[in-house]
Amino acid sequence: MTTGGYDPSKEPNNQGGEPNPPQGGYPPPPGNYPPPGNYPPPGNYPPPPGNYPPQGGYPPPPGNYPPQGGYPPPPGSYPPPPPGNYPSGGSQYGGFGAPTQLNVGDAIGYGWKKFSQNAGVWIAFVVAAALIQFVINVIFGGFDTNELTALSIIGAIVSVFVSILIQAAYVRGALHETDGNRPSFGSFFQFENIGAVVVASLLVSLMTVVGFILLIIPGFIVIFLTWWTLQFVIDQNQQPVDAIKSSFRAISSNVGPLLLLALALVGINILGAIPCGLGLLVTIPLTIIASTYAYRVTTGRGVAP
């Protein structure tokens, strides 16, 4: 005799007398069988764990599978991109905004802008450089070419050495300008690889002399192709031979615009020399800055605005 309500689960079923599973709202007994009916019920519930791509609009469970759809990938130890100065939006090089192609007008305009913003220091350096070379010539009898003496030979060597350092100082000042650092007077001599500067300059001079001996035109070609030798030595700390090769490659890659720029800068300096050489106080700095701007744009190392 039963003491409670009717329990249908205790009734035998049609398959061997086992109790029927409960019907209605009772929870199913433990077991590894799917409940009857249209399960699973509809709804946005997370899938069981597993390493497979998620389905539906819910976030994916943890796992090392490639993401599907528009959501970000799961966290993981992904290798970083290789180092390099990648352009941002097609116009960023080395951290500075710069055109992707060299324009002669832009180079000359850049040289004028940077010179005019720091004209006092540039003019003072040009005057100081000219005075130093004048004093050396006077001390060592550089103006007396009729007699070759030991003193004149020493004077010639000293004059060449000083001229090389002055040229390197011009390049150092122009590199400061393209870096966005307005140089002071002492900033022009902020380079340490003096040996490489001297050797590179002497090699270029020797190559130029040989070129002029070979029917003159090769000498002008050497001057043009070695134009940026000191830029590569000072800016990238390259060794003399490597710097000469780098200058050859860089200029050869953009001959047309660079040849036009070189001719324009020569013309500007000729005009600067007409009024008793006073115009050179402006045209020499403009020329150095414009050529260094062209070097930076061509090599993709960036130019400060």
Side-chain angles (χ1 to χ4, degrees):
M1 179 176 180
T2 62
T3 59
Y6 172 73
D7 187 357
S9 64
K10 297 184 181 297
E11 288 289 330
N13 58 20
N14 294 328
Q15 297 180 1
E18 295 294 332
N20 287 321
Q23 305 295 324
Y26 296 94
N32 294 324
Y33 54 86
N38 294 324
Y39 291 92
N44 293 327
Y45 54 89
N51 293 328
Y52 49 84
Q55 305 293 328
Y58 42 80
N64 296 322
Y65 49 83
Q68 305 290 329
Y71 45 80
S77 299
Y78 300 99
N85 293 326
Y86 300 99
S88 176
S91 63
Q92 297 293 320
Y93 289 83
F96 298 118
T100 57
Q101 292 184 346
L102 177 64
N103 180 276
V104 174
D106 289 344
I108 296 174
Y110 187 88
W112 168 253
K113 181 182 74 171
K114 289 298 183 179
F115 164 76
S116 61
Q117 290 174 351
N118 200 21
V121 172
W122 277 101
I123 291 175
F125 187 80
V126 174
V127 171
L131 288 176
I132 290 172
Q133 291 177 310
F134 176 81
V135 170
I136 290 174
N137 283 327
V138 171
I139 292 175
F140 292 98
F143 294 118
D144 186 5
T145 58
N146 295 324
E147 184 179 358
L148 186 63
T149 63
L151 187 63
S152 63
I153 294 175
I154 295 174
I157 295 174
V158 173
S159 180
V160 168
F161 181 77
V162 171
S163 297
I164 290 173
L165 294 184
I166 289 175
Q167 183 65 28
Y170 279 129
V171 172
R172 177 70 272 176
L175 287 170
H176 278 307
E177 295 284 8
T178 56
D179 284 335
N181 304 320
R182 187 175 298 179
S184 61
F185 195 89
S187 301
F188 286 81
F189 296 98
Q190 290 179 345
F191 53 90
E192 300 177 354
N193 48 351
I194 297 177
V197 167
V198 173
V199 173
S201 299
L202 292 176
L203 288 176
V204 170
S205 299
L206 179 61
M207 294 168 59
T208 303
V209 170
V210 173
F212 280 123
I213 293 175
L214 300 174
L215 302 177
I216 299 178
I217 293 178
F220 287 108
I221 295 175
V222 170
I223 292 174
F224 177 63
L225 294 178
T226 59
W227 188 7
W228 293 337
T229 298
L230 288 184
Q231 276 84 349
F232 279 102
V233 171
I234 298 172
D235 189 35
Q236 302 189 36
N237 198 29
Q238 292 189 5
Q239 294 302 308
V241 175
D242 294 333
I244 292 173
K245 291 179 179 178
S246 296
S247 181
F248 265 75
R249 286 193 297 266
I251 293 176
S252 299
S253 70
N254 204 14
V255 172
L258 289 174
L259 182 58
L260 292 177
L261 177 62
L263 294 175
L265 295 179
V266 169
I268 288 173
N269 280 298
I270 292 174
L271 293 176
I274 290 175
C276 300
L278 295 178
L280 295 176
L281 297 175
V282 175
T283 61
I284 289 176
L286 186 154
T287 297
I288 297 296
I289 297 172
S291 62
T292 304
Y293 166 92
Y295 151 77
R296 280 291 185 85
V297 171
T298 303
T299 58
R301 294 182 65 83
V303 180

